Amino acid sequence: MNSLEQAEDLKAFERRLTEYIACLQPATGRWRIILIVVSVCTATGAWNWLIDPETQKVSFFTSLWNHPFFTISCITLIGLFFAGIHKRVVAPSIIAARCRTVLAEYNMSCDDTGKLILKPRLHVQ
């Protein structure tokens, strides 16, 4: 394989990697917004639950029954984590990190958008 073919292969790999990471970005943004909204709802509900004077006087389950906003948002947040939202939020960086691991063997790397970084070769004398 000559160097021109190798350069074309590298360009094709870089193009495909940037396309794939760019394709993940809109979905990742939506999952981040969902995670932020549910987290803020859970935190707000937890604050209201904790400052309620009745919370100390009744049982735990009665207290949760009296604060349905907190209970529902907390269950939703737990469900999202069991569904793997933490992986969906960071999917592009996981892909880039795995590519960096493989590319390191070829004296290359990539940034978070998928652009290849060619590292200078060390000349042994």
Side-chain angles (χ1 to χ4, degrees):
M1 217 179 192
N2 64 25
S3 61
L4 185 60
E5 290 173 339
Q6 289 175 345
E8 289 299 318
D9 286 345
L10 283 176
K11 287 178 185 177
F13 175 76
E14 180 183 57
R15 191 170 40 253
R16 182 67 183 124
L17 184 60
T18 54
E19 284 175 9
Y20 186 72
I21 290 176
C23 178
L24 290 175
Q25 291 297 343
T28 300
R30 285 190 293 271
W31 284 114
R32 285 179 182 161
I33 290 170
I34 290 169
L35 182 61
I36 289 169
V37 168
V38 173
S39 297
V40 168
C41 289
T42 303
T44 305
W47 176 255
N48 290 330
W49 181 57
L50 290 172
I51 63 170
D52 184 11
E54 291 294 315
T55 300
Q56 298 176 1
K57 299 174 185 172
V58 296
S59 72
F60 176 72
F61 291 109
T62 305
S63 176
L64 288 177
W65 185 259
N66 291 339
H67 295 87
F69 180 73
F70 169 68
T71 306
I72 292 169
S73 61
C74 190
I75 290 170
T76 303
L77 185 63
I78 291 168
L80 285 172
F81 275 99
F82 277 125
I85 193 170
H86 56 291
K87 292 178 186 172
R88 291 182 175 128
V89 165
V90 294
S93 55
I94 291 172
I95 300 296
R98 289 179 182 169
C99 285
R100 280 187 206 103
T101 303
V102 173
L103 290 171
E105 295 182 26
Y106 301 100
N107 210 26
M108 292 186 278
S109 186
C110 67
D111 62 8
D112 288 335
T113 62
K115 297 285 184 190
L116 289 180
I117 301 167
L118 302 174
K119 296 179 180 177
R121 292 186 179 184
L122 298 175
H123 295 288
V124 179
Q125 294 181 0

